[in-house]
Amino acid sequence: MKASTPIKQKFYDFYLDEHQNMACRRLHFAGSSFGLLGLAKAVKIGSPRPLLKGIAAGYACAWVGHFFFEKNKPASFKSPLKSFASDFRMYSDVLRGNLSLRDRKFDKP
């Protein structure tokens, strides 16, 4: 596996700093799950509609997390592609047990 470049790691570190609140992280995880489910259904039925719904639900969850819990602006407003990639990296880190959805003290460096 190729290691992240310093620039990618620097943005991801910033991204994680913007996702300290557990409610925000949970909403991001749920939103990413909605997006992936929408993608799977879109492929299964051959229609883009479920994907579009999944993306809309995903961004709605993420933005609620930022505006109401984290009290900051989503990074996707300034760096949409880096933020999208970092969101799925965060999703992967949660699935692998490197980031917690319960408490930051359980995060692994």
Side-chain angles (χ1 to χ4, degrees), residues 52-107:
L52 297 174
K53 287 181 178 180
I55 290 170
Y59 275 105
C61 288
W63 292 354
V64 165
H66 283 286
F67 293 128
F68 293 101
F69 295 100
E70 200 70 62
K71 307 278 194 232
N72 63 15
K73 289 183 186 173
S76 61
F77 288 180
K78 289 188 178 182
S79 301
L81 296 178
K82 287 181 186 177
S83 295
F84 185 77
S86 293
D87 190 57
F88 280 97
R89 182 172 172 191
M90 184 170 72
Y91 190 85
S92 172
D93 281 343
V94 169
L95 289 176
R96 289 183 289 147
N98 294 329
L99 289 177
S100 175
L101 295 178
R102 283 189 325 164
D103 194 310
R104 288 184 317 184
K105 70 182 178 185
F106 299 118
D107 289 354

Side-chain angles (χ1 to χ4, degrees), residues 10-28:
K10 185 177 178 181
F11 185 84
Y12 187 60
D13 291 341
F14 159 76
Y15 190 82
L16 290 179
D17 284 343
E18 298 291 302
H19 297 84
Q20 304 256 341
N21 182 283
M22 289 299 111
C24 183
R25 278 192 192 180
R26 289 181 197 121
L27 284 163
H28 269 68

